Amino acid sequence: MSDKQFDVVVIGGGPGGYIAAIRAAQLGFKTACIDEWSNAAGKPAPGGTCTNVGCIPSKALLQSSEHFEHAGHAFADHGIKVSGLELDLGTMLKRKDTIVKQNNDGILFLFKKNKVTFFHGRGAFAGKAEGDAGYTINVSGPTTDTISAKNVVVATGSNARQLPGAEFDEKLILSNTGALAIDAVPGKLGVIGAGVIGLEMGSVWRRVGADVTVLEGLPTFLGAVDEQIAKEAHKLFTKQGLKINLGCKIGAITKGANDVTVEYADSTGAEQKATFDRLIISIGRVPNTNGLGIETVGLQLDERGFVVVDDECRTSLPGVWAVGDVVRGPMLAHKAEEEGVAVAERIAGQHGHVNFNTIPWVIYTSPEIAWVGKTEQQLKAEGVQYKAGTFPFMANGRARALGDTSGMVKFLADATTDEILGVHIVGPMASELISEAVVAMEFKASSEDIARICHAHPSLSEATKEAALAVDKRSLNF
């Protein structure tokens, strides 16, 4: 096999792509990964949206801004006096950039360790290769080359959805990219969309001093979240100072020299106008197939622009697979990773496994929101008989010691079999606590199973045990 002919080529180096490439190499395939992300110096920056302008940098800023808020408001309760508190935003952003680069470099190291050939540029289908070599792929950008592969994995991710008439300039009108790099705390920050990105970025900038207004088109808050959990979160965010307006119909958006004016109708239909120093638009994401050369090989897309795949991530073309944000299913980094592993194993003739019913969701606000499985409203709509149990963190000893007793854990279990159908958490470290529920559901556990397992004391995880006990109305500490 020549240096330009591969068993597997992955187009895209985000969570789905780089993981697929590493797993394919582990399985003995000659593997390459193509990724076009570059850092400020023009060097390779694999990791996709997640590492560069998504999961990783947002968590860095969320952590930094939470420290700042604690120092200004919560430390006094611990007997820690802070005077002269000052925000050095430049250092905060530099720290975020350093963490991003560490992740970029870590992926490049993993490619080298696993003998994955890396091409820095944009990969595009050029046509069918000769013989049984599969497909020809052109690489353009910092690296220019033509390679071929028997199997191609499309992992090109997604882009922020633009609002017509309010295109991103990343200076005044911001996507997630610009929202992570504002060079001065805005006095007034507008956010269109009360989803994950809107709430996380709104939280970051509120904590460091911005007056944040969130405009959401839907009449309900976090409609995909269990209703009881969403109501609790809405109450807590409002108390913190986020101004959340539901049922808004966005009208004209006008840029000034240094501000943005948004005209909108509120939930009553009354016309409103608000002017912001910066405006973040977070109304979802769209699959990225730009420049992929899909017409060249006839790769099928659906009506929304997603690459059409079957349950095992096979596309309409033999030997071509697709994973992550560019295909159906939740746009989550860990979902992409699981699909990447599964596809590599399927190429090897194994039986890759991805269970959509046990993929956890997390919103990294404070308090965090995390869930897995069905919500109560879904079970009602499906006519499933269920039992519910909740336990508040205000009754948890570790939460009291932390000084964060907001929120609760909620269990939903089948009324007949007691199998866990969903677990929902709003509160401290929900992102970590949800893993126990994922494991339990993957192994078809009952709420009684969790209720009978010994949990360390004092720990936040005791709230999980207590919520499981509450399914049978026998919670011990509330």
Side-chain angles (χ1 to χ4, degrees), residues 169-214:
D169 61 12
E170 305 300 6
K171 295 178 181 178
L172 292 175
I173 300 178
L174 315 172
S175 69
N176 54 292
T177 300
L180 290 160
I182 302 174
D183 58 5
V185 177
K188 290 185 178 294
L189 174 66
V191 180
I192 297 179
V196 176
I197 295 171
L199 290 174
E200 290 186 357
M201 289 297 92
S203 292
V204 165
W205 295 107
R206 180 202 61 76
R207 292 171 187 167
V208 295
D211 180 359
V212 181
T213 299
V214 181

Side-chain angles (χ1 to χ4, degrees), residues 42-283:
K43 300 296 184 181
T49 294
C50 173
T51 294
N52 291 290
V53 291
C55 318
I56 302 303
S58 65
K59 302 312 160 287
L61 289 185
L62 281 161
Q63 188 64 61
S64 296
S65 63
E66 189 168 349
H67 284 326
F68 181 77
E69 184 167 60
H70 283 177
H73 301 284
F75 278 6
D77 291 339
H78 295 265
I80 303 171
K81 295 182 180 180
V82 178
S83 60
L85 182 65
E86 184 180 348
L87 176 70
D88 184 344
L89 183 58
T91 298
M92 184 182 291
L93 294 175
K94 185 178 179 181
R95 174 183 180 273
K96 176 258 299 180
D97 293 339
T98 298
I99 292 168
V100 168
K101 187 175 185 304
Q102 288 171 343
N103 280 268
N104 297 146
D105 293 346
I107 294 168
L108 291 171
F109 168 78
L110 289 171
F111 282 160
K112 186 175 181 180
K113 174 185 175 183
N114 289 280
K115 297 181 174 56
V116 174
T117 303
F118 177 69
F119 293 91
H120 187 202
R122 173 170 294 198
F125 286 103
K128 289 282 290 182
E130 295 182 1
D132 63 349
Y135 299 87
T136 301
I137 300 165
N138 288 336
V139 182
S140 59
T143 300
T144 302
D145 217 326
T146 299
I147 60 178
S148 63
K150 295 178 180 178
N151 291 278
V152 180
V153 181
V154 176
T156 47
S158 62
N159 297 317
R161 184 187 300 276
Q162 302 217 46
L163 190 63
E167 286 69 30
F168 300 123
D169 61 12
E170 305 300 6
K171 295 178 181 178
L172 292 175
I173 300 178
L174 315 172
S175 69
N176 54 292
T177 300
L180 290 160
I182 302 174
D183 58 5
V185 177
K188 290 185 178 294
L189 174 66
V191 180
I192 297 179
V196 176
I197 295 171
L199 290 174
E200 290 186 357
M201 289 297 92
S203 292
V204 165
W205 295 107
R206 180 202 61 76
R207 292 171 187 167
V208 295
D211 180 359
V212 181
T213 299
V214 181
L215 305 176
E216 168 59 46
L218 295 175
T220 55
F221 181 66
L222 292 175
V225 176
D226 184 88
E227 187 175 358
Q228 184 179 9
I229 298 295
K231 286 181 177 179
E232 179 70 11
H234 185 275
K235 179 181 71 176
L236 293 167
F237 294 149
T238 301
K239 184 178 179 181
Q240 291 171 2
L242 281 180
K243 300 170 184 175
I244 302 171
N245 300 275
L246 303 175
C248 298
K249 185 176 181 181
I250 304 299
I253 296 177
T254 307
K255 284 199 300 184
N258 297 297
D259 56 27
V260 183
T261 298
V262 180
E263 298 176 34
Y264 66 97
D266 63 22
S267 59
T268 69
E271 295 297 326
Q272 305 287 348
K273 181 184 290 188
T275 299
F276 305 106
D277 298 301
R278 297 288 189 276
L279 179 67
I280 299 172
I281 296 179
S282 54
I283 55 172

